[in-house]
């Protein structure tokens, strides 16, 4: 095993600018920051890739803030949302009643029933914009009964298993029976299909496995469309929702032969899990910023002080220590450079310990910056999002309440 190289060094002027903006705004607690200029560039990159006629659906769970979603909707010129839980569904129906909402995971029928109970009478039309996701014949039966009880038409979207194997319909007899069941029920409307394939970029390219998986996903989707056309007619199927993709895969779609809309959200703020080859055109646009509580010039481990000198001699990145305000987030430190968690000391949600090399230069009340691993859960842990733009904190965007 080779001796580790020193990874410490000067701070990035970009993060120093955000740090100054946070200080000018009087912020002194862990804060989720979104760079609006980078966010806009990412929206433009996504829209610039989409072929003519391809719709864009905003994944609300990945951008869990009404103000953030509204900003994206306005810049991307879309009114399509993908929604994933009851509180979000109710909130978006109240605040964006004109939006088309596709439920991104099958909800227990009781959750759908609760939605109609919570929905104000003045927002009844918003419910007509929802496509409820159906993944099994049993769930279809449950939603049929709900539609009958409510005496209203429910729009149903069928989840397809295009290779992820997380549930949904495979093509064949079950899918055909469900399609016919929807057609013969006056309280149901066939709204379309959803086929999600985030597994494909993770597959090896060896022997063409990735290409074969993508071709297989599209073959399944094409067969499902043929089955739907047999039941509803080609003209009707030409106008249904044909939803596909997510942030990792939206750039695979270069025409509308199969999908006529793609869903994405995370690529617009680009957490670390989305540092992929396909998403290279996108910039990291979201960061956790947290103040330094203590900056210690020499790392000392409790009870293991006898080994500190040898450890520092072997690994220069163990030289100095900072303790931060909060911690234990799903995130990686990115500035100052070279910071890392101390596996021996362990993680902490109160005062997390980070180690750095001899060139680490940061003082209490300055900020350490992290990149989240994901957005959907992490964004909900810090209160209002601080919106950074060209050297200033220009706005604060409230987030949704935490929910599964």
């Amino acid at each position: 095993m080779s001796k580790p190289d020193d990874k410490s060094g000067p701070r990035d002027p970009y993060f120093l600018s955000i740090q100054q903006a946070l200080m000018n705004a009087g912020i002194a607690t862990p804060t989720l920051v979104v760079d609006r200029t980078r966010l806009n560039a990412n929206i433009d990159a996504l829209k610039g890739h989409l072929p003519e006629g391809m719709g864009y659906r905003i994944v609300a769970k990945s951008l869990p803030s009404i103000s953030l979603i509204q900003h994206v909707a306005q810049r991307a010129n879309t009114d399509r949302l993908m929604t994933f839980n009851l509180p979000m569904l109710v909130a978006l129906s109240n605040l964006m009643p004109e939006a088309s909402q596709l439920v991104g995971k099958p909800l227990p029928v009781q959750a759908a029933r609760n939605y109609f109970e919570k929905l104000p009478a003045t927002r009844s039309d918003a419910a007509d914009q929802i496509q409820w996701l159906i993944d099994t014949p049993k769930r279809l039966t449950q939603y049929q009964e709900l539609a009958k009880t409510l005496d209203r038409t429910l729009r149903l979207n069928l989840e397809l298993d295009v290779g992820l194997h997380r549930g949904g319909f495979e093509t064949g007899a079950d899918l055909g029976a469900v399609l016919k069941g929807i057609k013969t029920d006056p309280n149901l409307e066939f709204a379309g299909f959803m086929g999600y394939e985030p597994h494909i970029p993770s597959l090896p390219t060896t022997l063409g496995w990735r290409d074969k998986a993508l071709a297989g996903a599209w073959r399944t989707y094409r067969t499902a469309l043929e089955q739907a056309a047999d039941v509803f007619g080609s003209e009707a199927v030409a106008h249904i929702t044909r939803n596909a993709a997510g942030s990792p895969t939206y750039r695979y779609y270069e025409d509308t032969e199969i999908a006529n809309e793609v869903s994405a959200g995370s690529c617009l703020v680009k957490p670390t899990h989305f540092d992929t080859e396909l998403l290279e055109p996108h910039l990291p646009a979201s960061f956790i910023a947290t103040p330094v509580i203590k900056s210690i010039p020499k790392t000392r481990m409790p009870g293991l002080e006898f080994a500190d000198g040898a450890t520092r001699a072997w690994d220069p990145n163990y030289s100095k220590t900072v303790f931060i305000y909060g911690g234990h987030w799903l995130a990686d430190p990115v500035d100052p450079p070279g910071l890392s968690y101390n596996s021996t000391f362990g993680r902490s949600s109160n005062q997390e310990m980070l180690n750095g090399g001899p060139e680490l230069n940061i003082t209490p009340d300055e900020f350490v910056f992290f990149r989240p691993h994901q957005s959907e859960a992490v964004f909900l842990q810090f209160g209002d999002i601080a919106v950074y733009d060209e050297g200033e904190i220009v706005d604060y965007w409230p987030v949704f309440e935490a929910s599964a």
Side-chain angles (χ1 to χ4, degrees):
M1 184 171 62
S2 58
K3 188 176 185 297
D5 295 327
D6 178 13
K7 297 178 182 178
S8 63
R11 297 195 64 182
D12 188 328
Y14 173 73
F15 290 110
L16 289 175
S17 176
I18 301 178
Q19 174 177 275
Q20 190 59 55
L22 292 167
M23 290 178 169
N24 291 346
I27 294 172
T29 55
T31 301
L32 196 289
V33 179
V34 166
D35 183 327
R36 191 167 66 184
T37 297
R38 290 190 175 193
L39 171 66
N40 288 343
N42 289 339
I43 298 169
D44 296 346
L46 183 151
K47 289 288 289 183
H49 171 79
L50 299 185
E52 184 178 355
M54 182 69 81
Y56 166 52
R57 191 172 292 274
I58 302 169
V59 178
K61 72 176 176 61
S62 302
L63 305 170
S65 159
I66 287 283
S67 298
L68 174 54
I69 290 169
Q70 289 175 328
H71 177 87
V72 173
Q74 181 176 9
R75 190 170 183 94
N77 191 27
T78 184
D79 64 355
R80 307 184 198 195
L81 307 174
M82 182 173 280
T83 316
F84 286 82
N85 60 54
L86 178 59
M88 196 178 294
L89 200 61
V90 173
L92 289 167
S93 291
N94 277 301
L95 296 169
M96 299 177 67
E98 75 291 345
S100 161
Q101 295 193 66
L102 170 57
V103 180
K105 65 185 177 188
L107 294 184
V109 72
Q110 183 61 49
R113 188 176 291 111
N114 292 346
Y115 166 80
F116 286 100
E117 291 174 357
K118 292 174 181 289
L119 192 68
T122 56
R123 288 290 183 256
S124 181
D125 289 350
D128 296 331
Q129 304 297 318
I130 295 175
Q131 298 180 38
W132 302 94
L133 194 66
I134 302 298
D135 61 328
T136 64
K138 181 178 179 180
R139 202 178 305 276
L140 172 64
T141 300
Q142 292 173 332
Y143 275 75
Q144 281 180 308
E145 294 172 356
L146 175 62
K148 184 177 180 180
T149 300
L150 296 172
D151 191 25
R152 68 181 300 158
T153 299
L154 295 183
R155 306 179 69 218
L156 305 184
N157 189 298
L158 303 184
E159 181 178 16
L160 297 176
D161 182 357
V162 293
L164 182 60
H165 304 321
R166 193 175 63 181
F169 292 99
E170 297 183 13
T171 54
D174 281 353
L175 177 59
V178 165
L179 289 166
K180 291 174 184 176
I182 295 173
K183 183 178 182 181
T184 57
D185 192 322
N187 291 319
L188 300 180
E189 177 185 332
F190 176 52
F193 290 119
M194 183 186 78
Y196 186 40
E197 24 43 353
H199 60 289
I200 290 175
S202 301
L203 297 175
T205 57
T206 307
L207 301 177
W209 286 343
R210 186 183 301 174
D211 291 340
K212 291 176 183 176
L214 183 59
W218 289 349
R219 185 166 54 250
T220 297
Y221 213 132
R222 189 178 292 109
T223 302
L225 291 171
E226 292 169 356
Q227 284 195 250
D230 289 341
V231 176
F232 293 96
S234 299
E235 180 64 21
V237 171
H239 295 94
I240 62 170
T241 295
R242 293 179 275 124
N243 179 271
S247 286
T249 57
Y250 86 86
R251 295 187 71 223
Y252 284 135
Y253 291 83
E254 298 180 346
D255 57 50
T256 57
E257 177 191 353
I258 295 173
N260 60 11
E261 66 169 37
V262 294
S263 300
S266 294
C267 65
L268 304 185
V269 290
K270 201 177 184 183
T272 62
H273 284 179
F274 297 84
D275 288 344
T276 65
E277 181 181 352
L278 279 175
L279 293 179
E280 283 183 0
H282 292 262
L283 300 168
S286 57
F287 307 95
I288 299 166
T290 191
V292 172
I293 301 296
K294 301 158 186 171
S295 181
I296 301 172
K298 183 181 291 187
T299 298
R300 301 179 67 205
M301 290 298 295
L304 300 173
E305 294 87 352
F306 64 90
D308 287 336
T311 304
R312 286 193 297 270
W314 169 253
D315 186 354
N317 300 294
Y318 184 82
S319 299
K320 296 182 179 180
T321 290
V322 294
F323 288 93
I324 59 172
Y325 190 144
H328 213 312
W329 303 297
L330 292 172
D332 297 325
V334 291
D335 189 83
L339 286 177
S340 62
Y341 301 115
N342 189 300
S343 59
T344 303
F345 192 88
R347 305 296 303 273
S348 171
S349 300
N350 176 36
Q351 295 183 64
E352 183 124 64
M353 179 187 199
L354 298 169
N355 296 131
E359 301 305 313
L360 173 64
N361 183 17
I362 192 168
T363 60
D365 301 338
E366 293 185 311
F367 285 80
V368 171
F369 291 88
F370 298 77
R371 281 187 63 199
H373 295 168
Q374 57 169 247
S375 55
E376 55 199 68
V378 177
F379 274 37
L380 302 177
Q381 299 178 37
F382 302 93
D384 293 356
I385 296 169
V387 183
Y388 170 79
D389 201 354
E390 297 184 354
E392 296 182 83
I393 301 301
V394 296
D395 206 349
Y396 296 92
W397 290 345
V399 296
F400 289 117
E401 62 179 277
S403 182

